[in-house]
Amino acid sequence: MEIRNRSTAPTDKSLYPDEGSSHWDIHDNVVRYVNGANWIRMWTPAMHDAHVRNTCSDVPNHFSNATDSTVEQAFVVPDDIWPEEARSIMANVGPGATLP
């Protein structure tokens, strides 16, 4: 399973794989407006073999209790100054968006 080029803005949600998720490659995402919550939450060891990388977020907090998984710290964006790559992802998500 691959999750990429997604933005959580403005839904007030973090990246949140379901219990039992396995062999996921989660990359090139933007997490915004999580109000101090975790930008990703993999809460149970039943999740496994997930790899999370190249994420932009407005919060540094993350949580992973997943088995045999890696989470690279998100690039934390201060003061709502998003890099071009993140702005491009945010502009190209949602209904009708053309994704790569």
Side-chain angles (χ1 to χ4, degrees):
M1 172 68 71
E2 180 179 48
I3 299 175
R4 69 183 176 116
N5 295 332
R6 301 289 185 240
S7 174
T8 64
T11 64
D12 200 26
K13 304 289 185 217
S14 62
L15 297 173
Y16 185 83
D18 288 336
E19 182 174 2
S21 296
S22 62
H23 302 281
W24 285 32
D25 186 16
I26 303 171
H27 62 94
D28 300 306
N29 294 289
V30 176
V31 180
R32 187 176 184 193
Y33 302 131
V34 293
N35 294 324
N38 298 307
W39 60 265
I40 189 164
R41 188 167 187 274
M42 296 191 301
W43 58 278
T44 176
M47 297 172 183
H48 61 90
D49 299 289
H51 303 286
V52 185
R53 59 193 165 83
N54 199 28
T55 303
C56 284
S57 177
D58 56 358
V59 296
N61 314 346
H62 67 279
F63 178 78
S64 177
N65 198 24
T67 304
D68 296 326
S69 299
T70 57
V71 177
E72 292 180 6
Q73 176 59 44
F75 175 77
V76 179
V77 176
D79 303 320
D80 213 31
I81 302 171
W82 296 88
E84 178 58 37
E85 181 181 7
R87 289 194 311 264
S88 176
I89 291 169
M90 289 187 281
N92 290 293
V93 296
T98 302
L99 298 176

